[in-house]
Amino acid sequence: MTPVLVVAAAVVDDLDDPRLLLAARRATPASLAGRWEFPGGKVEPGETPEEALHRELREELGVSVGLGVELLGPDGGAWQLSDRYVMRLWFAEVLEGGPEPLVEHDELRWLPAGQWLDVPWLDADVRIVERLTEFVATFSRGERRSVGRSG
């Protein structure tokens, strides 16, 4: 069985100097309610992953974003979330709109650097947040100039 591809965004305040990360708290289903995640969702037939991500962020948060670089999983590809799902994740910066929780979430929170792990993330997202923290720390030490812009 081929895993379902989902896309998500690590929405930050500034792609050139990220200090804040947007976390979204699930309202449904009951088994996930109260846990935090990256906004995004499933890629629909005929969509590219990037198109799906733009659509999902408009639907879930009411925002238009600019995408930065993709944060690759440990094997250089998608992040394995479960036997059923894999996720591709891009850095993103809000260009227009809210953000506000429109569907699936009941709260959004901008987490300051150093506090990105201070909310109860979905289990599969914890290692991704840890990797994001490491990635951002490398360029804040001058090893990278920005998380880049890809479209």
Side-chain angles (χ1 to χ4, degrees):
M1 181 170 137
T2 303
V4 174
L5 176 62
V6 296
V7 291
V11 179
V12 293
D13 58 323
D14 185 338
L15 288 175
D16 294 324
D17 187 20
R19 302 278 183 209
L20 301 173
L21 174 67
L22 186 70
R25 189 172 68 186
R26 297 278 321 198
T28 60
S31 62
L32 302 177
R35 304 290 297 276
W36 296 78
E37 68 175 359
F38 299 102
K42 294 181 185 121
V43 177
E44 299 294 335
E47 285 183 314
T48 67
E50 293 88 345
E51 290 168 342
L53 184 55
H54 284 287
R55 176 186 51 76
E56 286 286 345
L57 295 176
R58 276 190 310 273
E59 291 173 3
E60 288 186 7
L61 306 177
V63 298
S64 167
V65 298
L67 295 182
V69 297
E70 182 175 359
L71 186 72
L72 300 175
D75 64 356
W79 293 87
Q80 189 77 39
L81 299 179
S82 68
D83 290 338
R84 188 168 174 201
Y85 295 102
V86 296
M87 181 173 74
R88 292 183 62 190
L89 179 95
W90 283 265
F91 281 92
E93 178 181 359
V94 175
L95 300 176
E96 294 178 12
E100 57 185 294
L102 299 176
V103 294
E104 296 188 18
H105 303 108
D106 62 2
E107 184 180 341
L108 302 176
R109 188 178 299 171
W110 287 102
L111 303 172
Q115 297 177 22
W116 289 4
L117 287 162
D118 287 2
V119 296
W121 291 90
L122 295 176
D123 293 341
D125 288 352
V126 171
R127 65 194 166 98
I128 302 169
V129 177
E130 290 170 345
R131 178 65 187 113
L132 281 171
T133 302
E134 293 166 9
F135 185 85
V136 169
T138 62
F139 72 79
S140 67
R141 289 193 307 261
E143 296 172 32
R144 294 188 181 271
R145 288 197 357 247
S146 78
V147 296
R149 297 181 192 275
S150 68

